[in-house]
Amino acid sequence: MEYEILKYQYANKDIDVIVMQNMHIKVVVSSLGCTIISIFTNDKYGNNDDVILGFDELDTYLQQDKYIGAIVGRCAGRIKNATFTLNEKEYHLAKNNAGNTLHGGNVGFNQKIFTYAMLEDGIDFHYLSKDGEENFPGNLDVHIKYRLVDNTLIAEYVATTDADTIVNLTNHMYFNLQGKGSVLDHELMIDASNIICSDADGCANGVLQDVSNTPFDFRKSKRVGKDIDEENEQLAIGSGYDHYYVFDRSERAVVLKDPISGRVMEVSTNQKGCQLYTANFLDGKLKGKKNWYFKAREALCIETQAAPNAIHTEVEPSTILLKGNTYQATTVYEFKIEGGEVD
Ligand code: GAL
């Protein structure tokens, strides 16, 4: 792997950008929020293009609230009523989303500067989230590694704590395998027989819904846009897909294809599911790379993670990390070309 480090300063913050490249893919990441700025892959015609949304100017990452390309934490997704109880103690978090806490609170991991060390095949980011940060308990020591292995990008998350806490980490990349335009003609397969329903605020409520005979069924690959505008209470809540899918199996749990470019992305993970989000809240106001003003449904996120709001909905919440235990999550994104090899 070859790499180059570029150094910038914005709003008194030193932000590094690392360009990593092997024979198959080029990935650009930033020390601000471990943000993945770009992933360049070839299409079936040999054109090389960027398959995720991002910005030319680093300071746009400091101003936007759409978590584009960033790590979200300490706890991804919405926590109902911005409070939770752990070991009989009640914690109050920031109400940054309709009375609930979204993606870690007012200043989530997406806005933190990570230190890092280069590895032979990638980068190892580190951040210490202090006890009480955003009112979460425990000093949480977080390592996030991005590694390039052939045509795969591997994201590895490891966290330890010195007091019981909750943690749920993911990456919030917005994919568009064509590198432009709508994502509704992409084909998507999600190996999941159930979603978790959302309440009126978009908080996962723990109620499982079988996807059979609903617009949520992606077990057989189908166009993202095929059923997205069907009349359906859950789709109405999210203004599209914005729901947690519970995987049946985790190998090739998600496959996203763009028939036009021939690009295919396969996602495998040890996480139990993913939030599928069809970028419903992008409103054309954010100016991205290539003068692209991002609109709703021009990308989609596959946020592999534990169930959002698990602390309120699971009997033994999977997001609790006990002192002495280690949180370990891995997600592998493999980039292929239908009918060919990535080269
Ligand atoms: C997603 C979430 C959406 C929205 C988005 C950020 O993870 O499910 O509802 O908040 O992040 O704009």
Side-chain angles (χ1 to χ4, degrees):
M1 185 196 80
E2 290 171 14
Y3 69 87
E4 189 186 353
I5 296 173
L6 308 163
K7 294 191 172 285
Y8 299 91
Q9 208 181 38
Y10 288 97
N12 291 325
K13 290 179 197 264
D14 289 317
I15 304 176
D16 288 7
V17 170
I18 304 102
V19 183
M20 308 188 284
Q21 187 163 10
N22 69 11
M23 277 168 58
H24 306 276
I25 46 177
K26 179 163 127 183
V27 176
V28 183
V29 302
S30 152
S31 60
L32 172 68
C34 299
T35 300
I36 303 185
I37 295 175
S38 293
I39 300 178
F40 290 93
T41 67
N42 277 357
D43 71 4
K44 65 181 173 190
Y45 306 106
N47 301 315
N48 194 256
D49 221 330
D50 193 347
V51 297
I52 58 170
L53 304 194
F55 304 107
D56 286 325
E57 302 298 332
L58 276 180
D59 54 350
T60 315
Y61 285 98
L62 294 166
Q63 291 152 20
Q64 51 89 34
D65 62 356
K66 302 292 185 268
Y67 305 86
I68 296 203
I71 289 297
V72 290
R74 186 181 288 209
C75 212
R78 292 176 176 77
I79 297 177
K80 188 73 189 168
N81 292 333
T83 112
F84 69 95
T85 303
L86 184 63
N87 298 336
E88 283 154 27
K89 188 168 171 206
E90 196 169 285
Y91 294 91
H92 295 274
L93 308 170
K95 294 184 176 174
N96 63 338
N97 193 269
N100 307 301
T101 306
L102 176 66
H103 293 333
N106 281 334
V107 189
F109 287 6
N110 57 303
Q111 291 294 337
K112 301 292 180 188
I113 306 282
F114 286 64
T115 57
Y116 64 94
M118 294 308 299
L119 308 169
E120 215 165 277
D121 58 357
I123 186 158
D124 179 3
F125 284 107
H126 176 250
Y127 177 65
L128 178 68
S129 172
K130 295 257 174 68
D131 179 29
E133 182 180 294
E134 292 292 334
N135 282 346
F136 288 103
N139 288 296
L140 187 75
D141 190 80
V142 182
H143 279 270
I144 291 166
K145 287 185 195 170
Y146 293 138
R147 299 195 298 121
L148 304 189
V149 178
D150 300 326
N151 55 334
T152 64
L153 166 65
I154 304 173
E156 293 172 348
Y157 307 75
V158 176
T160 52
T161 178
D162 62 1
D164 298 351
T165 189
I166 60 173
V167 59
N168 195 8
L169 303 175
T170 189
N171 178 289
H172 210 298
M173 279 180 278
Y174 288 69
F175 296 98
N176 181 317
L177 298 184
Q178 216 189 325
K180 61 179 181 217
S182 165
V183 85
L184 296 180
D185 284 331
H186 279 40
E187 289 163 13
L188 178 66
M189 190 286 295
I190 307 181
D191 200 349
S193 304
N194 292 282
I195 59 159
I196 294 180
C197 294
S198 301
D199 69 11
D201 286 348
C203 294
N205 63 10
V207 177
L208 283 179
Q209 182 183 309
D210 185 336
V211 296
S212 308
N213 304 314
T214 76
F216 290 90
D217 195 348
F218 281 99
R219 286 172 297 182
K220 285 202 187 103
S221 189
K222 75 173 178 193
R223 272 185 60 240
V224 173
K226 181 168 177 287
D227 302 323
I228 199 169
D229 288 321
E230 273 197 15
E231 225 170 277
N232 175 285
E233 199 194 334
Q234 284 295 314
L235 281 178
I237 289 172
S239 305
Y241 297 104
D242 192 1
H243 293 80
Y244 187 76
Y245 279 76
V246 185
F247 295 145
D248 294 338
R249 63 172 185 160
S250 53
E251 278 297 302
R252 290 180 81 246
V254 181
V255 179
L256 184 65
K257 286 184 192 178
D258 167 38
I260 294 169
S261 65
R263 290 194 182 92
V264 178
M265 182 180 73
E266 296 183 359
V267 181
S268 302
T269 181
N270 68 344
Q271 298 272 26
K272 290 198 173 67
C274 73
Q275 183 84 3
L276 169 65
Y277 170 56
T278 42
N280 314 312
F281 300 132
L282 294 184
D283 53 9
K285 288 190 186 137
L286 282 174
K287 182 182 164 201
K289 295 175 279 200
K290 299 182 270 193
N291 282 327
W292 180 0
Y293 286 84
F294 303 136
K295 294 197 284 301
R297 302 175 182 180
E298 289 191 329
L300 61 80
C301 305
I302 297 157
E303 304 157 45
T304 53
Q305 58 180 276
N309 204 30
I311 191 67
H312 289 297
T313 60
E314 295 180 355
V315 182
E316 286 177 26
S318 49
T319 45
I320 292 179
L321 179 66
L322 300 177
K323 177 182 174 183
N325 287 355
T326 302
Y327 170 92
Q328 242 163 343
T330 302
T331 296
V332 179
Y333 308 87
E334 181 168 5
F335 295 92
K336 297 180 172 175
I337 300 174
E338 191 131 273
E341 292 293 309
V342 176
D343 58 28

